[in-house]
Amino acid sequence: MAKLPTILVLNGPNLNMLGQRQPEVYGRESLDDIAAACAKKAKALGLGLDFKQSNIEGEMVTWLQQARGRHAGIVINPAAYGHTSIALLDALLVTELPVIEVHLSNIHRREPFRHQTYVSQAATGVICGLGSQGYLLALEAMANLINPKKARA
Ligand code: DQA
């Protein structure tokens, strides 16, 4: 059987604490819950899924470099590194893959330092403020970006 196109879903610092961390802002679901929902959605869309999290900027850069030629697209919640990291932006550009940026919270309703992200400059689209549903919408949008002709789940 032909190999499914695989999407890298990459999560940045402190997202391993979801469920415990400021639930009024980020919701009560854990990152494992979100990973499970993404796996279900990817399967329905005929996509492979590689779901990762790191608290280390350099590790995220290395994973993005490795995604080039290996994955079909990237969904990234860069967390705080989105607001600070030119290295992550450059690594996303290295991949030459479609990128969708996701934030659980509406970063534009929050502190001014969250209104700007470097990552957005590499993103085809940005979803924020819809909680964990944003990841599922990003996977749907990615399925259409990489294979616009096929009808989608
Ligand atoms: C976040 C928003 C960022 O500003 C914050 O630093 C995070 C999470 C979100 O998903 O809403 O860690 O990316």
Side-chain angles (χ1 to χ4, degrees):
M1 218 170 75
K3 211 173 155 282
L4 294 178
T6 298
I7 308 305
L8 173 63
V9 179
L10 185 53
N11 294 279
N14 300 305
L15 293 173
N16 56 314
M17 299 307 290
L18 285 180
Q20 301 166 61
R21 171 192 183 208
Q22 293 179 275
E24 68 289 356
V25 177
Y26 298 118
R28 299 206 172 270
E29 281 171 278
S30 68
L31 195 62
D32 282 349
D33 294 335
I34 295 175
C38 284
K40 204 171 150 196
K41 177 58 98 178
K43 198 170 174 204
L45 291 165
L47 297 172
L49 182 75
D50 192 2
F51 193 98
K52 288 179 181 291
Q53 188 274 334
S54 180
N55 292 324
I56 303 168
E57 185 179 5
E59 187 166 47
M60 293 176 74
V61 168
T62 299
W63 288 344
L64 287 170
Q65 290 176 2
Q66 291 168 350
R68 189 189 159 102
R70 197 186 284 187
H71 292 90
I74 296 166
V75 172
I76 183 166
N77 182 347
Y81 288 150
H83 311 302
T84 62
S85 177
I86 297 169
L88 268 192
L89 166 62
D90 286 348
L92 285 164
L93 294 173
V94 164
T95 68
E96 295 184 11
L97 291 170
V99 173
I100 301 179
E101 179 181 1
V102 173
H103 297 276
L104 294 152
S105 63
N106 181 351
I107 54 176
H108 301 291
R109 277 182 84 168
R110 301 183 64 195
E111 306 94 317
F113 63 82
R114 294 185 203 274
H115 294 178
Q116 181 270 350
T117 96
Y118 288 109
V119 162
S120 296
Q121 294 198 31
T124 302
V126 181
I127 299 172
C128 76
L130 299 177
S132 61
Q133 202 201 351
Y135 285 77
L136 308 183
L137 294 172
L139 286 173
E140 274 181 36
M142 186 59 78
N144 282 306
L145 283 176
I146 65 178
N147 194 352
K149 284 196 203 110
K150 254 193 182 173
R152 290 294 161 195

